[in-house]
Amino acid sequence: MTRILTIEDDAVTAREIVAELSSHGLEVDWVDNGREGLERAVSGNYDLITLDRMLPELDGLAIVTTLRTMGVSTPILMISALSDVDERVRGLRAGGDDYLTKPFATDEMAARVEVLLRRQNTVTAQATTLRVADLELNLISHEASRDGQLLMLLPTEYKLLEFLMRNTGQILSRMMIFEEVWGYHFDPGTNLIDVHIGRLRKKIDPPGNVPLIRTVRGSGYVIAEPV
């Protein structure tokens, strides 16, 4: 379940946030002070944070600045009674992803949360999955599939495919492939690369599929969308 951290010292506002987001199927934890809020946020166990600007012990601006400095990229919806433009700009520049002014409609707050969650999911998917046509490579599970069918790759085949897909459309020389995948200087007398490309092709481009891996005579290999 998607987990939200709400850092808000006003109990009435906090209960409204918790009730609204819970009605959307989200799990919400509430903290009423900045210091504990920062400790919870640093844990990295949350999908999004709603953060009050003015808090006891540690204010919201200090929290978002600290989180971004520490490399915590959790989306943050800043909520504040301070409505001037400069304050909004200050919050967003510090690392907030959106800024909502009090008083606010709870349905608008929930809509903004949903937008930030969708945006984060898209970024995460892009960061962990490589795609060329119907070929997908999951960088987390180290699994490859084509047209939804799982491909059984050996470790070296996976490294070779990842290098090709990270450079989609770019011709990669044998030397570039050799040094990236095998990690030592290229021996022009070996056919190691050709053998592994051949094995990979049998799995990636079997009969009946449009070939994705192409040989560029005299230059190397390239993986690209079908022409």
Side-chain angles (χ1 to χ4, degrees), residues 90-130:
R90 191 176 296 115
L92 296 177
R93 281 182 175 173
D97 296 277
D98 197 359
Y99 193 99
L100 184 62
T101 302
K102 296 179 180 180
F104 56 85
T106 56
D107 57 347
E108 180 186 356
M109 179 273 302
R112 294 193 183 208
V113 166
E114 293 289 351
V115 167
L116 291 177
L117 288 172
R118 283 198 301 271
R119 184 190 304 169
Q120 180 69 5
N121 289 337
T122 299
V123 170
T124 301
Q126 289 174 344
T128 60
T129 305
L130 301 177

Side-chain angles (χ1 to χ4, degrees), residues 19 53 70 81 108 113 126 171 174 191 198:
R53 170 65 175 85
M70 296 176 67
E108 180 186 356
V113 166
Q126 289 174 344
I171 299 172
R174 286 174 171 79
N191 66 344

Side-chain angles (χ1 to χ4, degrees), residues 46-80:
Y46 293 96
D47 299 286
L48 183 138
I49 299 167
T50 70
L51 176 63
D52 187 22
R53 170 65 175 85
M54 303 175 70
L55 293 163
E57 299 190 32
L58 193 66
D59 72 26
L61 200 60
I63 290 174
V64 69
T65 302
T66 301
L67 289 174
R68 296 313 187 224
T69 300
M70 296 176 67
V72 177
S73 59
T74 308
I76 296 175
L77 171 60
M78 299 192 73
I79 299 176
S80 177

Side-chain angles (χ1 to χ4, degrees), residues 34-218:
R35 194 165 301 281
E36 184 181 354
L38 178 60
E39 292 175 357
R40 292 281 196 98
V42 169
S43 71
N45 294 325
Y46 293 96
D47 299 286
L48 183 138
I49 299 167
T50 70
L51 176 63
D52 187 22
R53 170 65 175 85
M54 303 175 70
L55 293 163
E57 299 190 32
L58 193 66
D59 72 26
L61 200 60
I63 290 174
V64 69
T65 302
T66 301
L67 289 174
R68 296 313 187 224
T69 300
M70 296 176 67
V72 177
S73 59
T74 308
I76 296 175
L77 171 60
M78 299 192 73
I79 299 176
S80 177
L82 303 174
S83 59
D84 60 280
V85 175
D86 288 343
E87 184 61 32
R88 176 186 177 87
V89 169
R90 191 176 296 115
L92 296 177
R93 281 182 175 173
D97 296 277
D98 197 359
Y99 193 99
L100 184 62
T101 302
K102 296 179 180 180
F104 56 85
T106 56
D107 57 347
E108 180 186 356
M109 179 273 302
R112 294 193 183 208
V113 166
E114 293 289 351
V115 167
L116 291 177
L117 288 172
R118 283 198 301 271
R119 184 190 304 169
Q120 180 69 5
N121 289 337
T122 299
V123 170
T124 301
Q126 289 174 344
T128 60
T129 305
L130 301 177
R131 292 185 179 86
V132 179
D134 56 355
L135 174 65
E136 293 189 4
L137 189 67
N138 189 304
L139 301 176
I140 302 300
S141 65
H142 284 201
E143 292 180 339
S145 62
R146 183 159 189 195
D147 194 23
Q149 299 297 311
L150 190 64
L151 306 173
M152 303 305 294
L153 300 181
L154 297 174
T156 301
E157 293 169 345
Y158 172 86
K159 289 179 65 177
L160 177 57
L161 181 60
E162 180 182 355
F163 185 49
L164 289 169
M165 293 182 72
R166 284 189 183 276
N167 296 278
T168 299
Q170 178 181 340
I171 299 172
L172 301 174
S173 69
R174 286 174 171 79
M175 181 176 292
M176 292 168 64
I177 294 171
F178 206 91
E179 293 180 346
E180 175 67 26
V181 177
W182 280 271
Y184 52 93
H185 188 66
F186 177 63
D187 178 0
T190 182
N191 66 344
L192 185 63
I193 294 174
D194 305 275
V195 169
H196 277 81
I197 287 286
R199 291 174 180 170
L200 189 58
R201 271 185 167 139
K202 289 180 180 179
K203 299 178 179 182
I204 301 300
D205 298 330
N209 285 53
V210 178
L212 300 179
I213 299 175
R214 300 199 302 271
T215 301
V216 181
R217 192 173 299 279

